[in-house]
């Protein structure tokens, strides 16, 4: 009986889901990743080498340029007021302090990929290098924490890192 009730509840929740467009008619090629903080959604254009943001609470949000890169940004992650951006060709991860008037990048690693922060550590997965790197944001110490997996996507729950790897199908 409990199983049937749970299945009915899950089915009911999915029946009433809806999708709402928050940005339409934005002409940019290579949109590949997004992250959010408060009312803002940050996203990147790999092709245009730019990171943008919108205030998703507006009906017709204005797209704001956050930063123009020389490399191709492919990964974005925000924690507090620090925006982390991973670029390719060559692989690098930068941080941008959004609390300053003049936004500047600071190189923090020569790897790029999906990112999450746990305590003072930023974890970056690099698919091409088959590894996950931990960077202590206080000391800048960089350590390979897992080698031999090709990480695709990250999430954190209860200070534990979860990731997918299509290389190992796990």
């Amino acid at each position: 009986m409990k199983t049937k009730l749970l299945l009915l509840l899950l089915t009911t929740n999915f029946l009433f889901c809806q999708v709402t467009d928050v940005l339409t008619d934005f002409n940019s090629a290579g949109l590949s990743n997004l992250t959010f903080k408060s009312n803002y959604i940050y996203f990147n254009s790999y092709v245009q080498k730019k990171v943008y943001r919108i205030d998703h609470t507006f009906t017709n949000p204005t797209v704001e340029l956050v930063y123009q890169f020389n490399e191709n940004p492919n990964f974005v992650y925000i924690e507090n007021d620090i925006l982390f951006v991973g670029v390719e060709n060559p692989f690098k991860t930068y941080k941008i302090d959004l609390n300053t008037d003049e936004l500047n990048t600071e190189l923090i690693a020569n790897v790029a990929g999906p990112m999450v922060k746990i305590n003072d550590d930023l974890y970056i997965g690099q698919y091409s290098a088959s590894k996950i790197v931990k960077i202590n944001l206080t000391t800048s110490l960089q350590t390979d924490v897992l080698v031999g997996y090709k990480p695709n996507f990250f999430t954190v729950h209860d200070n534990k890192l979860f990731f997918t790897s299509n290389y190992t199908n796990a």
Side-chain angles (χ1 to χ4, degrees), residues 45-60:
S45 170
Y46 182 85
V47 174
Q48 293 181 344
K49 301 180 180 180
K50 296 178 180 179
V51 174
Y52 298 100
R53 77 177 185 177
I54 62 167
D55 184 336
H56 70 85
T57 61
F58 294 145
T59 304
N60 295 311

Side-chain angles (χ1 to χ4, degrees), residues 94-147:
Y94 296 98
K95 76 176 186 177
I96 300 172
D97 185 348
L98 299 173
N99 279 328
T100 61
D101 291 334
E102 189 172 320
L103 300 180
N104 294 306
T105 59
E106 179 184 335
L107 178 67
I108 61 169
N110 288 319
V111 296
M115 297 172 260
V116 294
K117 186 173 177 267
I118 302 173
N119 301 320
D120 290 333
D121 299 317
L122 182 70
Y123 291 83
I124 303 172
Q126 188 166 340
Y127 186 87
S128 63
S130 300
K131 66 181 177 179
I132 297 173
V133 174
K134 176 176 76 170
I135 299 163
N136 183 294
L137 296 172
T138 304
T139 66
S140 299
L141 179 65
Q142 182 173 318
T143 309
D144 292 351
V145 293
L146 189 62
V147 178

Side-chain angles (χ1 to χ4, degrees), residues 34-47:
L34 59 88
T35 188
F36 70 94
K37 179 181 186 304
S38 302
N39 294 345
Y40 289 102
I41 298 173
Y42 293 81
F43 59 96
N44 64 283
S45 170
Y46 182 85
V47 174

